[in-house]
Coordinates of all heavy atoms in Angstrom, one line a residue:
H182 N 19.1 92.4 -15.9 CA 19.0 92.2 -17.4 C 17.6 92.1 -17.8 O 16.7 91.9 -17.0 CB 19.7 90.7 -17.7 CG 21.3 90.7 -17.4 ND1 22.0 89.6 -17.5 CD2 22.1 91.8 -17.2 CE1 23.2 89.9 -17.2 NE2 23.3 91.2 -17.1
D183 N 17.4 92.4 -19.1 CA 16.0 92.3 -19.7 C 15.7 90.8 -20.1 O 16.0 90.4 -21.0 CB 16.0 93.3 -21.0 CG 14.7 93.5 -21.5 OD1 13.7 92.6 -21.2 OD2 14.5 94.5 -22.1
F184 N 14.9 90.2 -19.2 CA 14.4 88.9 -19.4 C 13.6 88.7 -20.7 O 13.9 87.7 -21.4 CB 13.6 88.4 -18.3 CG 13.0 87.0 -18.4 CD1 13.8 85.9 -18.2 CD2 11.8 86.9 -18.8 CE1 13.1 84.6 -18.3 CE2 11.2 85.7 -19.0 CZ 12.0 84.5 -18.7
I185 N 12.8 89.7 -20.9 CA 11.9 89.5 -22.1 C 12.7 89.5 -23.4 O 12.4 88.8 -24.3 CB 10.9 90.8 -22.1 CG1 10.1 90.8 -20.8 CG2 10.1 90.8 -23.3 CD1 9.2 89.6 -20.8
R186 N 13.8 90.2 -23.6 CA 14.6 90.2 -24.8 C 15.6 89.0 -24.8 O 15.7 88.5 -26.0 CB 15.4 91.6 -24.8 CG 14.5 92.7 -25.1 CD 15.4 94.0 -25.2 NE 14.5 95.1 -25.6 CZ 15.1 96.4 -25.8 NH1 16.3 96.6 -25.7 NH2 14.2 97.4 -26.1
E187 N 16.0 88.6 -23.8 CA 17.1 87.7 -23.6 C 16.5 86.1 -23.7 O 17.2 85.3 -24.3 CB 18.0 87.7 -22.4 CG 18.8 89.1 -22.4 CD 19.8 89.1 -21.2 OE1 19.9 88.1 -20.6 OE2 20.5 90.1 -21.2
F188 N 15.3 86.0 -23.2 CA 14.7 84.7 -23.2 C 13.4 84.6 -23.8 O 12.3 84.2 -23.1 CB 14.7 84.1 -21.8 CG 16.0 84.1 -21.2 CD1 16.6 85.0 -20.3 CD2 16.9 82.9 -21.5 CE1 17.7 85.0 -19.7 CE2 18.2 83.0 -21.0 CZ 18.6 83.9 -20.0
P189 N 13.2 85.0 -25.1 CA 11.8 85.1 -25.7 C 11.2 83.6 -25.8 O 9.9 83.5 -26.0 CB 12.1 85.7 -27.0 CG 13.4 85.5 -27.3 CD 14.2 85.4 -26.0
G190 N 12.0 82.5 -25.8 CA 11.5 81.3 -25.9 C 11.1 80.5 -24.7 O 10.6 79.4 -24.7
S191 N 11.2 81.2 -23.5 CA 10.8 80.6 -22.2 C 9.4 80.6 -22.0 O 8.8 81.5 -22.5 CB 11.5 81.6 -21.1 OG 11.1 81.1 -19.9
P192 N 8.8 79.6 -21.4 CA 7.5 79.5 -21.0 C 7.0 80.7 -20.1 O 5.9 81.1 -20.1 CB 7.3 78.1 -20.3 CG 8.5 77.4 -20.9 CD 9.6 78.3 -21.0
T193 N 8.0 81.2 -19.3 CA 7.9 82.3 -18.4 C 7.5 83.5 -19.2 O 6.7 84.4 -18.8 CB 9.0 82.4 -17.4 OG1 9.1 81.2 -16.8 CG2 8.6 83.4 -16.3
F194 N 8.2 83.6 -20.3 CA 8.0 84.8 -21.2 C 6.6 84.8 -21.7 O 5.9 85.9 -21.6 CB 9.0 84.7 -22.3 CG 8.7 85.7 -23.4 CD1 9.2 86.9 -23.5 CD2 7.8 85.4 -24.5 CE1 9.0 87.8 -24.5 CE2 7.5 86.2 -25.5 CZ 8.0 87.5 -25.5
T195 N 6.1 83.7 -22.0 CA 4.7 83.5 -22.6 C 3.7 84.0 -21.6 O 2.7 84.6 -21.6 CB 4.5 82.1 -23.1 OG1 5.4 81.8 -24.1 CG2 3.0 82.1 -23.7
A196 N 3.9 83.5 -20.3 CA 3.1 83.7 -19.2 C 3.1 85.2 -18.8 O 1.9 85.9 -18.5 CB 3.4 83.0 -17.9

Side-chain angles (χ1 to χ4, degrees):
H182 296 162
D183 189 336
F184 172 81
I185 298 297
R186 291 185 178 178
E187 293 190 9
F188 300 101
S191 166
T193 306
F194 170 91
T195 303

